[in-house]
Amino acid sequence: MTELRKTHLDRVAICSLLLCCALWGLNQVAAKAGLSEIGPLWQAGLRSSGAALLVWAWAVARGIKLFERDGSLRGGLIAGLLFGLEFACVFVGLQYTSASRMVVFIYLSPFVVALGMPFIAASERLNLRQISGLVLAFAAVAWAFSEGFGQAAANPQQWLGDALGVLAALFWGGTTLTIRASRLSRVSAEKTLLYQLAVSGLGLCVAAALSGEAWPAAWSLRLSGLLLFQTVVVSFASYLLWFWMVRHYPATRLATFTLATPLFGLLAGALLLQEQITLRLILALLALAIGVVLVNQGPQRQAK
């Protein structure tokens, strides 16, 4: 039986979205803060591995079957690989750029999805207004990116961190497109999330070991708290909440609402890490927001 989807965002959805956006914005700050005590690959790998165990336990407790043969293995492995590459770029990139800048660059992802969806579903073809939104968004990101070259004297490797943020957005968009184009679009949200967390967790931990990345000499209370926040609150709870909303509310309106995430990231970076927020970055974020709104103003489809 097809599950009915609500046609508008009610109070539950709006409050849930704001909570998710705040958590995702804080996540970049937590990852940046953790780099002083743990390597980027170990941090990303441990949080994915821990969250994968939580998703498995959640599914078992609710009687959700995860290991049936349903043709989703190939898509799941690809999605997990792309998911792992995304967070490898994010965590490594945070060594060179600020959390505030990273959270802006990775939200280029919706435009990657918008460009790729017409190749998956003909009904997702972009109109002139949506194309204009894409152009504006890419121009905004390019303008923000160029600031890294202008600040070479103060931080000569900032451009590298920014570039890894853009690459992470490409991998994030690729993950979404893989889910939409494969059997993953017809399996449970828990199984889709488990593929991404388990494959990325294993891959990132192996990469950390093979690259010789040092294991933390001591586990401070601060590091434990940062990893618990990223694992339990963000990678497990907020992702499951997001998948629940995707199944019950219009995806287009949900996507537009996630524009609040970079704003929370900018504020968190400034307040918690004392990062400098430049006028160019703020203007680029505004232009990026306008671009997302334009892209998401395509023909409204009947909810199912």
Side-chain angles (χ1 to χ4, degrees), residues 97-115:
T97 193
S98 67
S100 305
R101 294 180 66 82
M102 178 63 73
V103 77
V104 172
F105 287 118
I106 62 176
Y107 270 80
L108 189 65
S109 171
F111 306 102
V112 177
V113 176
L115 284 173

Side-chain angles (χ1 to χ4, degrees), residues 247-301:
R247 294 171 64 180
H248 290 84
Y249 296 94
T252 299
R253 301 192 184 200
L254 291 175
T256 303
F257 223 101
T258 59
L259 282 171
T261 301
L263 178 59
F264 281 113
L266 289 176
L267 293 174
L271 294 174
L272 301 178
L273 298 178
Q274 288 75 53
E275 294 179 346
Q276 181 183 7
I277 308 300
T278 65
L279 178 61
R280 178 181 292 203
L281 191 60
I282 293 174
L283 292 176
L285 176 58
L286 290 175
L288 184 64
I290 295 171
V292 169
V293 171
L294 289 174
V295 169
N296 282 304
Q297 284 185 338
Q300 292 294 324
R301 297 172 181 82

Side-chain angles (χ1 to χ4, degrees), residues 16-95:
S16 299
L17 277 167
L18 286 174
L19 176 61
C20 284
C21 290
L23 292 174
W24 296 339
L26 282 170
N27 183 60
Q28 308 305 320
V29 174
K32 178 79 171 180
L35 290 175
S36 61
E37 299 186 57
I38 187 173
L41 296 178
W42 277 125
Q43 185 176 188
L46 289 175
R47 83 165 204 161
S48 285
S49 299
L53 291 175
L54 290 173
V55 171
W56 172 78
W58 167 270
V60 170
R62 301 194 65 194
I64 299 172
K65 297 180 179 180
L66 297 174
F67 303 106
E68 289 184 320
R69 291 188 177 183
D70 51 19
S72 65
L73 179 60
R74 181 180 178 183
L77 293 177
I78 295 173
L81 174 62
L82 293 173
F83 189 81
L85 289 172
E86 172 200 340
F87 281 100
C89 290
V90 169
F91 281 75
V92 173
L94 283 170
Q95 296 180 110

